[in-house]
Amino acid sequence: MPPRPILIDTDPGQDDAVAILMACAAPEALDVLGLATVGGNVPIELTTANALRILELAGRTELPVHAGCPRPILRPLTTAPEIHGESGLAGTDLPAPRIAARPGHGVPWIIETLMTALEPVTVCTLGPLTNLALALVMEPRIAGRIAEIIAMGGSFSGGNVMPAAEFNIYVDPEAAAIVLGCGRPITLIPLDCTWQVRALPERLARIARIGTRSAEVVSQIMSYRADSEGGVGRPLHDACVIARLLRPDLFDGPQVPVQVETSSELTRGATLMDRRGRTGLPANCRVLLEVDADGFFELLGGLLARLP
Ligand code: BDR
Ligand code: CA
């Protein structure tokens, strides 16, 4: 099988960084066409610099990075420095990037990349969905060029930023609604799944022993504020997106209709899964609710051993 073309839309962000490293480590399976950054965990200047720092760490400086939207479509940006630190990559001392983002905004770059790719592209979203939503609005024909969207976002058992909402959907719920309504196959990886994939101390110790600089950085950033996400060990939310691509058998979940709340302030960004067919809506998402966390960490360790 030739490598599958993917595009990564991201707001690094510590778990975003792990996801990017994993994607960089599997060129035989994933043909990474490039990265678009978005304002999310930290402002866009930092998410862009962090994406570049991670590509340098991975030795994949040939991959283009395009800075996308600095804020959501309708709302001011909400960030998460209490989780990711002020820099977005707290816990490590990676140098400032020597490479630069490519000229040109991330949204037209997504459109151009999808329209000119030789085959439909899998779009991996690791942050608020602003860039992809605007790309779909600007050029609706890109929908036909998307093989699948794999998005980390949503929650069906309570949120992390608000009682009902997960961060990526909460930050830009209008963008999430546009993407969920685009008609292409979507795999949604909500907190219900990613909260099971925790960087427990013994797992981080095993990663640190791999001995590569990439593994050291992952153990450092995931050790930062280890108890800040409601339990022992930080969840590797976004890394589940890349793990799903490489090892689909590690995950399972139903094909169901999913909607996003955009009008209520109390439940802004809540995701609703219609498991009993009450809405009569077509199933628009495969929602992954189950994961083999040990299998995930085995995969992660193997990939980190392949990087510098
Ligand atoms: C999501 O929000 C961010 O803090 C993480 O990078 C992840 O994408 C988890 O809710
Ligand atoms: Ca993220």
Side-chain angles (χ1 to χ4, degrees), residues 138-165:
M138 277 177 72
E139 178 47 274
R141 288 181 302 162
I142 65 168
R145 307 290 308 151
I146 295 174
E148 182 184 358
I149 297 164
I150 308 192
M152 190 282 134
S155 180
F156 303 93
S157 53
N160 55 357
V161 60
M162 288 293 275

Side-chain angles (χ1 to χ4, degrees), residues 3 8 21 25 35 50-51 101 116 126 140 152 191 205 209 234 248 261 292 296 301:
I8 300 176
L21 289 173
L35 281 61
N50 290 341
T116 57
L126 314 179
M152 190 282 134
L191 293 178
R209 283 198 296 274
R234 298 272 304 278
E261 173 60 58
D292 170 357
F296 170 93

Side-chain angles (χ1 to χ4, degrees), residues 166-278:
E166 180 277 330
F167 180 82
N168 289 340
I169 308 293
Y170 174 83
V171 170
D172 198 342
E174 286 76 19
I178 290 170
V179 171
L180 287 180
C182 79
R184 299 306 300 158
I186 299 173
T187 298
L188 195 62
I189 311 189
L191 293 178
D192 315 65
C193 178
T194 64
W195 270 334
Q196 301 171 48
V197 183
R198 289 197 178 259
L200 302 173
E202 60 272 22
R203 287 173 170 157
L204 287 179
R206 223 173 296 136
I207 287 172
R209 283 198 296 274
I210 292 171
T212 63
R213 174 74 175 132
S214 297
E216 181 188 36
V217 168
V218 167
S219 80
Q220 288 172 336
I221 57 181
M222 295 318 298
S223 303
Y224 177 75
R225 302 211 50 211
D227 57 356
S228 62
E229 293 193 65
V232 183
R234 298 272 304 278
L236 281 157
H237 308 285
D238 296 334
C240 290
V241 170
I242 305 302
R244 167 70 175 180
L245 283 169
L246 296 174
R247 286 283 311 277
D249 57 302
L250 295 177
F251 299 85
D252 203 7
Q255 179 81 27
V256 281
V258 176
Q259 290 175 283
V260 179
E261 173 60 58
T262 54
S263 51
S264 149
E265 269 316 298
L266 189 60
T267 56
R268 159 185 163 184
T271 41
L272 295 123
M273 172 166 51
D274 182 14
R275 291 191 90 158
R276 293 178 199 89
R278 298 299 161 100

